[in-house]
Amino acid sequence: MVQKYQSPVRVYKYPFELVMAAYEKRFPTCPEIPVFLGSEILHESRSDDGAIHIIERSCKLNVDAPRLLKKIAGVEYVFFIQKNTVNWKERTLRIEAHNETFANRVVVLETCSYSVHPENEEWTCFEQSASLDIKSFFGFESTVEKIAMKQYTSNIKRGKEVIEHYLKELISQGITFIPRWTPPPVCGQKDEQTPAAGDTAAGTPLDSGALGTTREQTGTDKLDADYIERYLGQLTPMQESCLIRLRQWLQETHKGKIPKDEHILRFLRARDFNIDKAREMLCQSLSWRKQYQVDYILQSWRPPALLDEYYTGGWHYQDKDGRPLYILRLGQMDTKGLVKALGEESLLRHVLSINEEGQKRCEENTNIFGRPITSWTCLVDLEGLNMRHLWRPGVKALLRIIEVVEDNYPETLGRLLIVRAPRVFPVLWTLVSPFINENTRQKFLIYSGNNYQGPGGLVDYVDKDVIPDFLGGDCMCTVPEGGLVPKSLYQTDDESESSDHIRLWTETIYHSANVLRGAPHEIVVEILEGESVITWDFDILKGDVVFSLFHSKRAPETSHKEATLPSTSAAGDNMQLIDKTWVLGVDYSRMESPLVCREGESIQGSHVTRWPGFYILQWKMHGPPPCAATSLPRVDDVLASLQVSSHKCKLIYYYEVLASKDFRSSECISTAAPAASCSQNTCRR
């Protein structure tokens, strides 16, 4: 495999001619670079006008390699051929180098260039690229590759320090200006005087001040080393190289919007700077962002009023490291109510907008604090967390959100502080943690009870005057306190699908159904193995229904039927499966006792199947109890009958079939809240 390196643009705040004088002082030997033992000029030539000067040298290097490897290779030193081409007219130096030793086994190619800064002709830019291809080396290819890359990268930044060392040496000798090249005078033309090398040009003092790094790159659109350090942080030479190469590849091949440098860097960090894996992950994310117009979410997304009131999260100043601080009072949040009232789409979009806002705040804090801030801190308060939060569809939606965030916002979380974790937290953590990247999990700090108070707690990461008042701090926090979402705000599938937002998920957890008198709603589940578990979760939005579970060896025929009431033309999405000719106890049998479900109730339950076949979940309208034949109808019964028949019942439901071995947490989920009453495996709340 060919190893490659590409440097950022490094800027010397000195004119090109002075930098060239410093560069020449590296030869024939350079004590500042211990591995460079000396050099010998093989060839030298100049153009007629003196504008182009070419020098070819043989350079002797003492590579820091194990003695045994040197003995096996049969060499003590390594020789490189270096060709320098200076163009004084264009003010450029091009350096080309390749190895002479073991050239048939190892191919090393290096190209460096010095040129005038595109925006300041008194400054000089330096760039460097190299490649290493080890074809064979006595069976030590991997070892040689590691040694070579370690040797090379350790001397990359050292090269800049050497040039600056000789620049200071020149200045100490009084050499602060070297005249630019001028064409030789034409015969008979008077030669103009130029300042001597040791003179300072009048009116043009040497600018040795700091480079004013700006957020935008120069006209060449190349990364500057000072810019990287200022806005992206300290990177190793190889990390800089990966960033530059991936960014360059995007500029050459990607037709869409090029992401910001800190965004590219996050994907590289997420893949341990494996450029191929980072490129694959980034390209998938860019395609996802384009498909769902995520770049415009901060402009287009407006959270519903319901989220403003019941979503218990919000931004709150920053931590001690300057990272934006996000507070989430998860224990106070009615996750089930939010999912049912808004749907997964709205919650996902809200989470995405939080992540987009977080990246924006990181950029702002980078400018405010004068140092790179590329991630934020999340403070999660679990006070109030209970089994209600382990509601299976809610956990499933949470895992989907985690998956989307992990794939598209890697390395954006700097630290996660979890406080007041209750005893039920390990159950939730067991469900969620396998879906969280290992690098992300290492950033979690979990405190139970009041352990977050005092030394070693929040004060180590967040200033006391920023810690929220509900955690014992001095700062009033405006994050909503949440509460239970009214069931009257729950949404049906019809209502959620009619919204005009772009869907991010192609599937929904809940289905909706209308139940009319004489027209029950039924779904069939085919069970191939006897030991399986059918789970259900439904909410009665309107009217009262009776829920039953049946089993049949025969496959029922699917049919949509009209209601028998003349006042209603059709049952809408009502589905009936049990044929009227079927006889209970003969064609099918009852597996669960009928359960009367009242308007506003939430029902959760499960059934362990004993036989394979077809299981039918049925919801039918609940009517008044039948009267004895000898008694007259009561007024209350007549009124109730009229009231029920005047409207249809509505419900939303979710069901799932699990293998019995995968049903580890069923008991926890089916008791997600205190049960008012239970019928076999079914709980209502």
Side-chain angles (χ1 to χ4, degrees):
M1 180 178 178
V2 179
Q3 290 279 1
K4 293 184 179 181
Y5 169 78
Q6 176 64 55
S7 77
V9 177
R10 292 187 171 86
V11 179
Y12 298 99
K13 306 164 189 70
Y14 302 93
F16 175 79
E17 290 73 20
L18 197 63
V19 173
M20 290 299 97
Y23 175 76
E24 285 299 323
K25 291 180 75 67
R26 293 178 51 178
F27 303 99
T29 60
C30 182
E32 302 299 320
I33 306 179
V35 298
F36 185 74
L37 301 181
S39 63
E40 176 185 354
I41 296 179
L42 302 178
H43 175 76
E44 184 173 7
S45 64
R46 296 179 186 270
S47 62
D48 293 339
D49 60 1
I52 299 177
H53 184 197
I54 301 175
I55 300 179
E56 191 171 340
R57 295 184 176 93
S58 175
C59 301
K60 183 179 179 181
L61 303 180
N62 181 21
V63 178
D64 184 14
R67 187 68 185 173
L68 178 62
L69 185 59
K70 288 185 176 181
K71 188 174 182 180
I72 293 174
V75 298
E76 186 69 25
Y77 307 109
V78 175
F79 289 87
F80 275 75
I81 303 300
Q82 184 190 79
K83 179 181 178 181
N84 292 354
T85 303
V86 183
N87 188 325
W88 295 106
K89 181 179 180 180
E90 301 293 336
R91 304 178 75 194
T92 62
L93 167 62
R94 180 176 176 83
I95 305 169
E96 299 170 295
H98 66 274
N99 62 306
E100 186 178 33
T101 307
F102 298 118
N104 61 330
R105 295 179 178 274
V106 180
V107 179
V108 179
L109 300 175
E110 181 184 43
T111 303
C112 305
S113 65
Y114 289 85
S115 59
V116 177
H117 193 284
E119 295 181 357
N120 189 335
E121 63 178 14
E122 297 302 318
W123 290 346
T124 305
C125 294
F126 172 77
E127 291 183 77
Q128 183 177 11
S129 62
S131 64
L132 169 67
D133 184 9
I134 301 179
K135 299 181 181 299
S136 65
F137 204 85
F138 312 107
F140 292 91
E141 291 79 12
S142 178
T143 302
V144 172
E145 179 180 297
K146 291 178 181 179
I147 293 174
M149 295 308 298
K150 180 181 179 181
Q151 186 89 57
Y152 189 76
T153 55
S154 65
N155 288 302
I156 287 173
K157 290 190 175 181
R158 181 65 178 159
K160 180 182 179 182
E161 295 173 359
V162 169
I163 294 296
E164 291 177 340
H165 168 79
Y166 286 122
L167 282 167
K168 292 177 182 178
E169 186 176 291
L170 288 171
I171 294 171
S172 67
Q173 297 171 359
I175 303 175
T176 59
F177 176 80
I178 296 177
R180 298 182 186 179
W181 175 87
T182 56
V186 180
C187 184
Q189 182 177 344
K190 185 177 180 180
D191 189 9
E192 296 182 359
Q193 296 294 321
T194 59
D199 297 336
T200 301
T204 58
L206 185 65
D207 182 4
S208 60
L211 175 63
T213 310
T214 59
R215 193 69 177 91
E216 299 299 327
Q217 293 302 301
T218 59
T220 57
D221 199 27
K222 295 180 179 179
L223 291 185
D224 184 291
D226 294 330
Y227 160 83
I228 291 176
E229 185 175 350
R230 168 66 177 82
Y231 291 100
L232 303 179
Q234 294 287 344
L235 302 177
T236 67
M238 291 308 298
Q239 289 173 345
E240 289 178 336
S241 174
C242 290
L243 173 62
I244 294 164
R245 289 166 56 200
L246 182 53
R247 186 177 186 269
Q248 184 178 7
W249 181 85
L250 288 170
Q251 290 172 332
E252 294 172 353
T253 62
H254 188 62
K255 297 180 181 180
K257 181 179 179 182
I258 303 298
K260 295 180 179 179
D261 302 319
E262 51 265 44
H263 194 68
I264 301 175
L265 187 58
R266 288 187 180 109
F267 284 85
L268 284 166
R269 285 186 170 129
R271 291 296 177 262
D272 296 323
F273 285 89
N274 183 311
I275 194 168
D276 293 328
K277 293 181 180 179
R279 177 168 52 209
E280 180 182 359
M281 182 183 184
L282 178 57
C283 288
Q284 291 176 352
S285 179
L286 291 176
S287 176
W288 172 83
R289 294 180 69 89
K290 181 179 180 181
Q291 181 179 359
Y292 300 113
Q293 303 181 25
V294 179
D295 287 335
Y296 309 101
I297 196 168
L298 289 181
Q299 293 80 25
S300 60
W301 169 251
R302 293 295 178 268
L306 193 64
L307 273 178
D308 291 334
E309 183 176 358
Y310 292 100
Y311 190 87
T312 56
W315 294 101
H316 183 78
Y317 301 100
Q318 54 272 328
D319 68 5
K320 285 188 173 182
D321 295 324
R323 295 189 184 105
L325 177 63
Y326 190 85
I327 294 179
L328 181 64
R329 305 185 68 177
L330 184 60
Q332 304 297 318
M333 187 184 300
D334 181 10
T335 52
K336 178 175 181 178
L338 287 175
V339 170
K340 291 192 173 184
L342 297 172
E344 303 93 335
E345 290 297 320
S346 292
L347 284 178
L348 176 60
R349 282 200 168 268
H350 191 58
V351 172
L352 296 184
S353 70
I354 292 171
N355 279 270
E356 292 292 316
E357 176 68 22
Q359 293 183 121
K360 180 180 176 182
R361 287 174 178 261
C362 285
E363 292 182 29
E364 294 172 351
N365 284 16
T366 295
N367 292 322
I368 292 173
F369 295 103
R371 63 179 184 274
I373 296 173
T374 58
S375 60
W376 57 85
T377 293
C378 186
L379 172 58
V380 181
D381 179 20
L382 295 184
E383 176 73 10
L385 186 78
N386 55 42
M387 299 303 290
R388 171 172 53 89
H389 294 84
L390 301 184
W391 171 62
R392 181 179 291 274
V395 172
K396 188 175 181 180
L398 174 61
L399 296 180
R400 290 292 303 277
I401 291 175
I402 290 175
E403 180 182 16
V404 171
V405 173
E406 285 277 304
D407 289 344
N408 299 283
Y409 299 93
E411 296 297 317
T412 53
L413 181 66
R415 184 180 293 118
L416 181 67
L417 303 169
I418 299 177
V419 299
R420 301 201 282 191
R423 289 189 300 174
V424 73
F425 173 72
V427 180
L428 179 61
W429 179 248
T430 301
L431 296 172
V432 173
S433 60
F435 296 87
I436 302 175
N437 182 273
E438 176 62 27
N439 292 338
T440 304
R441 290 204 300 268
Q442 293 177 357
K443 301 171 184 177
F444 284 35
L445 293 172
I446 303 172
Y447 301 91
S448 61
N450 295 324
N451 293 340
Y452 67 92
Q453 298 177 345
L458 291 184
V459 291
D460 285 9
Y461 308 101
V462 182
D463 289 327
K464 186 171 177 56
D465 58 356
V466 173
I467 296 177
D469 54 330
F470 58 83
L471 292 178
D474 301 328
C475 188
M476 294 296 295
C477 184
T478 59
V479 173
E481 296 183 0
L484 293 177
V485 178
K487 294 183 183 296
S488 59
L489 300 179
Y490 284 9
Q491 208 176 40
T492 65
D493 280 346
D494 293 338
E495 293 169 327
S496 63
E497 291 176 359
S498 65
S499 58
D500 57 1
H501 62 252
I502 300 173
R503 297 192 62 79
L504 296 183
W505 292 348
T506 57
E507 64 180 84
T508 59
I509 293 178
Y510 280 92
H511 304 276
S512 61
N514 296 322
V515 180
L516 306 175
R517 179 171 295 281
H521 180 71
E522 298 164 343
I523 57 174
V524 63
V525 179
E526 184 178 7
I527 299 297
L528 301 178
E529 300 177 3
E531 290 293 324
S532 297
V533 182
I534 304 173
T535 68
W536 53 80
D537 182 287
F538 58 91
D539 286 70
I540 310 303
L541 302 181
K542 190 175 184 181
D544 299 338
V545 300
V546 177
F547 172 74
S548 300
L549 178 68
F550 301 98
H551 172 262
S552 174
K553 296 181 180 180
R554 299 171 52 186
E557 296 183 3
T558 303
S559 64
H560 289 272
K561 299 184 180 180
E562 292 189 349
T564 57
L565 292 178
S567 59
T568 306
S569 60
D573 54 5
N574 176 269
M575 183 82 69
Q576 298 179 60
L577 301 172
I578 299 177
D579 194 276
K580 290 184 178 181
T581 61
W582 281 19
V583 178
L584 183 63
V586 178
D587 301 289
Y588 67 109
S589 56
R590 189 183 298 275
M591 306 306 297
E592 294 274 357
S593 300
L595 178 67
V596 177
C597 308
R598 304 296 182 182
E599 181 175 319
E601 288 187 336
S602 297
I603 310 297
Q604 292 180 332
S606 62
H607 177 83
V608 180
T609 62
R610 297 178 59 187
W611 310 284
F614 300 91
Y615 287 79
I616 302 170
L617 283 71
Q618 181 194 76
W619 294 268
K620 67 178 181 179
M621 182 175 288
H622 174 61
C627 301
T630 57
S631 63
L632 296 174
R634 294 183 301 147
V635 174
D636 291 342
D637 294 338
V638 174
L639 292 177
S641 177
L642 292 174
Q643 183 180 9
V644 169
S645 63
S646 63
H647 69 275
K648 60 185 177 182
C649 299
K650 282 187 177 182
L651 64 102
I652 55 175
Y653 66 91
Y654 164 84
Y655 70 95
E656 188 175 11
V657 179
L658 302 173
S660 57
K661 63 180 180 180
D662 297 328
F663 197 63
R664 295 181 303 170
S665 56
S666 298
E667 293 182 0
C668 295
I669 295 172
S670 65
T671 57
S677 62
C678 294
S679 173
Q680 296 184 18
N681 291 336
T682 300
C683 292
R684 70 176 82 205
R685 36 184 201 98

